[in-house]
Amino acid sequence: MSRATNAVARKRRRKKVLKQAKGYWGRKHSSYRFANEQLMRSGQYAYRDRRARKRDFRRLWITRINAAARREGMSYSQFMHGLKLAGVELDRKVLADMAVRDADTFRRFAERAREASAS
């Protein structure tokens, strides 16, 4: 008696993997074994880099806020501490955007931070 197989599921799985591997170089887009290995590796890179992107953006925002705060004669830490004392609850993303696009508003926040930390 022949062995029972599930050829339908196997074919579906192979088609799914090869469809996801479209655009890969060499045999990684046409050979199931190589495509599957590359997809697993790609998935690990994607998972890792989704988290790294959050770190990268936070570093960028802090750099931009620091540069704008130093133009106002404060360090990043003095600026952020002053904002906290003043009760301003803006996140770094908004502050960095403000530092780049709207220097006048950022200057007003810097003044509020300076006043709050002085008192």
Side-chain angles (χ1 to χ4, degrees), residues 46-83:
Y47 180 86
R48 178 196 70 191
D49 291 338
R50 278 194 297 273
R51 277 132 193 90
R53 182 174 54 214
K54 293 166 182 61
R55 294 192 294 265
D56 290 344
F57 269 109
R58 186 180 169 96
R59 285 178 60 192
L60 174 67
W61 297 332
I62 289 173
T63 304
R64 288 179 174 174
I65 294 168
N66 187 27
R70 288 190 185 276
R71 278 197 305 263
E72 301 303 320
M74 306 173 81
S75 69
Y76 170 79
S77 60
Q78 291 169 336
F79 176 72
M80 294 305 282
H81 181 66
L83 287 183

Side-chain angles (χ1 to χ4, degrees), residues 23-34:
Y24 286 173
W25 192 82
R27 283 168 53 190
K28 288 185 274 190
H29 74 93
S30 56
S31 170
Y32 173 76
R33 191 179 89 198
F34 293 123

Side-chain angles (χ1 to χ4, degrees), residues 5-114:
T5 63
N6 193 351
V8 177
R10 182 175 65 236
K11 190 171 187 178
R12 189 179 306 128
R13 190 165 46 246
R14 289 171 61 92
K15 271 176 65 172
K16 181 180 170 187
V17 165
L18 290 174
K19 185 177 179 188
Q20 286 178 316
K22 267 201 169 115
Y24 286 173
W25 192 82
R27 283 168 53 190
K28 288 185 274 190
H29 74 93
S30 56
S31 170
Y32 173 76
R33 191 179 89 198
F34 293 123
N36 198 36
E37 287 175 5
Q38 185 59 48
L39 278 175
M40 288 191 292
R41 197 169 293 126
S42 300
Q44 289 173 335
Y45 289 144
Y47 180 86
R48 178 196 70 191
D49 291 338
R50 278 194 297 273
R51 277 132 193 90
R53 182 174 54 214
K54 293 166 182 61
R55 294 192 294 265
D56 290 344
F57 269 109
R58 186 180 169 96
R59 285 178 60 192
L60 174 67
W61 297 332
I62 289 173
T63 304
R64 288 179 174 174
I65 294 168
N66 187 27
R70 288 190 185 276
R71 278 197 305 263
E72 301 303 320
M74 306 173 81
S75 69
Y76 170 79
S77 60
Q78 291 169 336
F79 176 72
M80 294 305 282
H81 181 66
L83 287 183
K84 188 172 185 177
L85 292 177
V88 176
E89 293 184 10
L90 287 176
D91 60 2
R92 286 165 182 81
K93 181 180 178 179
V94 173
L95 286 170
D97 190 53
M98 201 180 302
V100 172
R101 287 184 165 74
D102 193 5
D104 293 334
T105 308
F106 190 86
R107 187 172 294 117
R108 280 187 245 130
F109 277 111
E111 288 302 320
R112 285 182 65 180
R114 191 175 288 117

